[in-house]
């Protein structure tokens, strides 16, 4: 199994899954996503013949990755001193 990431949903019909380990993008019908899936979710996926044959929501990785993003954003915000331009 490899990790997959729900990058985006297009036209409310198709889910774009990125599998970074193998540098591939898969487009599947939204109806085939596991319950509880949303953009930025991670999955454990099984691929055969260049098609996803099974997919399980990986809630632990999803939560961990979101916490990492939140931490980075907080650090960036704390460094910001505001605009360098003066208002008149």
């Amino acid at each position: 199994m490899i990790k997959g990431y729900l990058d985006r949903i297009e036209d409310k019909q198709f889910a774009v899954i990125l599998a970074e380990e193998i540098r591939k993008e898969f487009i599947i019908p939204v109806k085939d996503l596991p319950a509880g899936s949303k953009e930025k979710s991670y999955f454990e996926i099984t691929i055969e013949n260049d098609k996803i044959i099974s997919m399980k929501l990986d809630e632990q990785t999803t939560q961990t990755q979101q916490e990492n993003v939140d931490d980075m954003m907080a650090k960036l915000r704390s460094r910001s001193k505001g605009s360098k331009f003066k208002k008149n």
Side-chain angles (χ1 to χ4, degrees):
M1 273 196 227
I2 63 171
K3 294 281 185 206
Y5 173 76
L6 178 52
D7 183 54
R8 64 190 178 279
I9 295 176
E10 295 182 342
D11 301 327
K12 297 181 183 178
Q13 296 179 41
F14 301 102
V16 179
I17 308 294
L18 303 179
E20 292 181 3
E21 293 172 48
I22 59 172
R23 297 179 176 253
K24 289 215 177 220
E25 175 182 279
F26 299 91
I27 299 174
I28 64 169
V30 168
K31 65 178 180 58
D32 291 346
L33 289 172
S37 300
K38 57 186 180 222
E39 288 183 354
K40 301 179 184 169
S41 292
Y42 281 82
F43 306 96
E44 291 179 358
I45 58 177
T46 303
I47 300 168
E48 262 183 31
N49 299 324
D50 271 351
K51 291 188 180 191
I52 294 174
I53 60 164
S54 73
M55 169 179 240
K56 179 183 170 218
L57 186 61
D58 185 346
E59 294 178 22
Q60 180 63 42
T61 300
T62 300
Q63 182 178 348
T64 301
Q65 292 296 330
Q66 189 57 51
E67 288 171 1
N68 290 344
V69 168
D70 292 345
D71 289 346
M72 283 189 273
M73 290 303 293
K75 287 177 186 174
L76 288 171
R77 286 186 189 112
S78 71
R79 279 196 240 164
S80 176
K81 304 292 184 209
S83 176
K84 294 180 182 175
F85 296 95
K86 292 186 180 184
K87 293 181 182 178
N88 288 334

